[in-house]
Amino acid sequence: MTDAIIGANVPQVTGRAKVSGTAIYAGDIKLAGMLHGKVLRSPYPHARIVSIDTSKAKALKGVKAVITGEDTPTRLWGVSRKERRILAAGKVRYAGEEVAAVAAISEDIARDAIDLIRVEYEELPAVLDPFSALEPAAIEIHEGTGNIAYETHVDRGDVERGFDQAAAVYEATYSMPYQYPGYLEPMASVVDVDTATGRITVWAATQSIFMSRSRLAEALDVPHSQIRFIQTMTGGAFGGKAVEDANTPIAALLAIKSGKPVRLANNRLEDFLAAPSSMPATVWLRMGLSKDGLIVAKDSMIIGDNGAYTGLAGHVIHVTSMRSDNMHRIENVRARGKLVYTNKIPSGAFRGFGGQQMAFPLNSHLAMLAEMVGIDPLEVQLRNAIKTGETSVHGWHMGSCGLSDCLTQATQGIGWAEKRKASKDAGPIKRGTGVAAGIHVSANRQLGNWDGSTAIVKMNEDGRVTLITPECDMGQGAATVLSQICAHELNIPISHVTVPQPDTDSTPFGIGTVASRVTIIAGNAVRLAAIKAREQLFEVAAEKLDSDPHALEIQDGMIRVKADTSRAVSLPDAVRLHLFRVGGQGIFAQATYDPPTVMADANYYGNVAPAYSFAAQAVEVEVDTETGQVRVVDSFVSDDCGKALNPMAVHGQTNGATAQSTAWALYESLNFEDGRLMNGNFADYAMPTADALPAFKSGFIESNDPNGPYGAKGASETAVLPGAAAIANAVYDAVGVRINDLPITPEKVLAALREKHNAGDQHA
């Protein structure tokens, strides 16, 4: 074997199809007789549905199905809580909720039919922020809940005793908005129903075919085996295409009603309304630092805005409550979290999965505390950073940890030491630097007591491989890295490995592409399956070559004896030898990898992941004190990915994550008026373009995790975590004002500068 493919810069195996326009996304699929679906959405954040008149829509020529909440199964569905129907029945709970849907022979006719549906609403009082929702007199969005969807309680050590030992204590409140996933491809589904058997086939963009199938089976109230779910090429997801939206259930119901295939594709506004965005949160945080710069106590309260229905946000706020604790040596921790119902768009999974909602407050706090004890903030980060071999306050064992190296690499990457010593410019443009860090899991034994993946390596008669895996490539390069691992173990070109789209009918069960688990979990499964396939090849080749199997190698498409390379058999011939014999069979190897992890107990203690990834970011910003404009002029992100199996892919993921975190810090926020989304399009939603971002610099630390394939662990999500705090810290360093409310807009900077100026005048 050769190591040429592991650690090499390998272009994505799906790249040619994407750039040539031949990739087939869900919206590209066309089936005979296919209809087009459209959805009518509520204009009110909270209202009773008095009546729905669909008669004119049904009478429109070309309309084949019209459905309302009364046509949906009464069984409730939801990821965490079973609380919603496929279409609203009796009541709507947010502006944008799906009320009715039509299927017609064209999109134009479907759109016209939607306009003909008449709904009479009785508007109800709405609660539009979590604090109002928690008031004793607040209406309940879901009866019997007190508007609380989920609560967390985490206690470790003696927090009050820790504060008593602190040389500095800092307390502040931070607020963070929704962030829309911003993928290129909006949600889309195509559903066909076999009228003879009732079997349902779905083609859709998803991060998990099996979790999506379960969600759909529950919503339709049918057996899982009645549904076949096929992932199409997916144009980005960032957590948003997991299992939380209603696009596929609505398309399926229209297909059942019409007896025809139905395509339902969101336009961009519909996607803003229907897709889960990141959980808005308000975090009160109090921390204590010793005179030596060590964290002695951390106390927090998180209020998360769940929106009207609960998807994965319960898991998100759980992460916010305790994940960031694990990157530090800390003994005294207390966290309280409340996920609160509001009459707004449901929040849910997003890249970093709740980690950023605490990384921003925590890293901002550390910078302030460092100033209070007179220590450089980088040094405070380094003194508290957890190390390889240590176990965190919540029971996470660090088989590998490159956090300190990430902090050093990132700060050196922007010239931290020199820039911190530089005097401030006397003009209106001020420069400052900031640093922050983050931790993320590589897989997570959380959904159940299995966190595995199964892979199948099937070698064809030409010696090439079909690699079957349930893990979804959503644009991050999963198919590429798994192909690399397979090609490496069999020593064949990566072009000789084909990875079909995951399909519940032919793919082994898998959890899917969540929690940065593909490289470490599926990668190990592929490695084990490829080794088994190689052993099968060597077994039959050894008989042919009269050799010991351990004396063989694969080189240049041949299985040969290492000591006498003239004795060889080609891979195609070996496959045929294995098949065409008495009792023979094809080269077919299956392997499952379930990591040696431990589910957390009732108090959230347990080594939940086989590895943990770390990232650090250092930035330099310019702040215009006359306009309030903040510009990132230099940035370096360092990512501890264990082992970079594909450095080009790691850099791509790191820089993409950095762009998202910069956007969250400075630009992005969903804006509502009376509960209605006002900027649900890319013209009004302030997602930064390339000219608003610096030329990102990134590096990686190879800490070589013992559980990872060749030492690798996750490298897609962690880099999104430090950005907002690093930028906020740099703004503070530049102009001495602390912005705790994201995004950091010019208006907020100017207001803070005025307040600082007025406070100075009053003091004088």
Side-chain angles (χ1 to χ4, degrees), residues 24-304:
I24 304 298
Y25 297 86
D28 297 320
I29 293 174
K30 294 179 175 63
L31 302 177
M34 187 176 75
L35 305 176
H36 300 267
K38 280 294 173 185
V39 175
L40 177 68
R41 299 176 184 275
S42 167
Y44 299 108
H46 198 201
R48 184 171 290 107
I49 300 173
V50 177
S51 64
I52 303 179
D53 182 358
T54 61
S55 58
K56 290 183 179 179
K58 290 177 178 176
L60 185 64
K61 186 177 180 181
V63 172
K64 302 300 180 183
V66 180
I67 57 174
T68 68
E70 298 305 314
D71 301 302
T72 65
T74 58
R75 181 183 182 183
L76 301 179
W77 67 276
V79 180
S80 300
R81 300 176 70 111
K82 312 307 175 186
E83 59 193 10
R84 67 187 299 185
R85 300 265 286 271
I86 296 175
L87 296 169
K91 185 186 285 190
V92 292
R93 292 178 169 85
Y94 71 96
E97 183 172 0
E98 300 89 346
V99 174
V102 302
I105 60 175
S106 73
E107 278 200 63
D108 288 341
I109 293 173
R111 194 176 295 111
D112 290 343
I114 286 294
D115 291 339
L116 293 174
I117 297 174
R118 295 291 175 261
V119 184
E120 182 183 351
Y121 295 98
E122 177 190 341
E123 195 168 359
L124 299 171
V127 286
L128 302 177
D129 70 86
F131 295 97
S132 298
L134 291 174
E135 291 290 334
I139 61 161
E140 284 190 315
I141 296 172
H142 296 279
E143 291 183 8
T145 64
N147 287 331
I148 296 176
Y150 187 84
E151 289 190 84
T152 61
H153 301 272
V154 181
D155 291 279
R156 301 274 187 266
D158 188 334
V159 172
E160 298 308 328
R161 183 171 176 270
F163 281 120
D164 289 341
Q165 297 172 342
V169 175
Y170 184 67
E171 178 180 328
T173 299
Y174 303 82
S175 61
M176 292 145 279
Y178 284 101
Q179 185 177 15
Y180 172 66
Y183 36 61
L184 286 174
E185 176 208 23
M187 301 281 190
S189 306
V190 174
V191 182
D192 191 19
V193 180
D194 187 326
T195 55
T197 65
R199 195 146 194 268
I200 301 163
T201 301
V202 179
W203 296 264
T206 180
Q207 294 175 228
S208 173
I209 54 171
F210 286 98
M211 292 199 329
S212 293
R213 184 180 69 170
S214 292
R215 179 271 316 262
L216 182 57
E218 180 180 61
L220 296 176
D221 201 10
V222 300
H224 286 62
S225 296
Q226 194 171 323
I227 299 171
R228 178 186 182 189
F229 209 107
I230 305 168
Q231 187 216 12
T232 54
M233 189 74 75
T234 299
F238 308 115
K241 293 176 182 174
V243 291
E244 300 175 87
D245 70 292
N247 183 279
T248 300
I250 293 171
L253 205 59
L254 286 170
I256 292 168
K257 181 82 170 180
S258 65
K260 297 286 186 180
V262 172
R263 171 186 176 269
L264 180 62
N266 291 347
N267 62 30
R268 190 57 67 177
L269 172 59
E270 290 168 335
D271 210 76
F272 268 90
L273 295 171
S277 292
S278 69
M279 180 190 74
T282 299
V283 175
W284 169 84
L285 180 61
R286 183 173 182 242
M287 289 180 66
L289 216 63
S290 73
K291 62 182 175 60
D292 297 322
L294 301 179
I295 302 169
V296 292
K298 175 176 176 280
D299 193 6
S300 63
M301 167 61 82
I302 305 107
I303 303 295

Side-chain angles (χ1 to χ4, degrees), residues 601-658:
D601 61 20
N603 198 30
Y604 312 107
Y605 191 90
N607 190 31
V608 298
Y612 303 96
S613 299
F614 300 88
Q617 182 172 359
V619 302
E620 182 181 19
V621 304
E622 279 186 350
V623 182
D624 189 327
T625 58
E626 295 178 341
T627 67
Q629 188 72 41
V630 176
R631 185 171 72 92
V632 179
V633 295
D634 198 5
S635 170
F636 195 105
V637 177
S638 178
D639 199 338
D640 171 19
C641 60
K643 165 72 177 176
L645 303 186
N646 188 345
M648 180 168 63
V650 174
H651 284 301
Q653 288 297 304
T654 299
N655 292 337
T658 306

Side-chain angles (χ1 to χ4, degrees), residues 95 246 267 279 360 372 737:
N267 62 30
M279 180 190 74
F360 171 54
M372 292 169 71
V737 298

Side-chain angles (χ1 to χ4, degrees), residues 655-678:
N655 292 337
T658 306
Q660 279 189 318
S661 65
T662 305
W664 192 53
L666 296 177
Y667 304 105
E668 293 187 35
S669 176
L670 297 184
N671 299 326
F672 295 86
E673 187 174 301
D674 298 326
R676 297 172 176 86
L677 180 64
M678 305 305 292

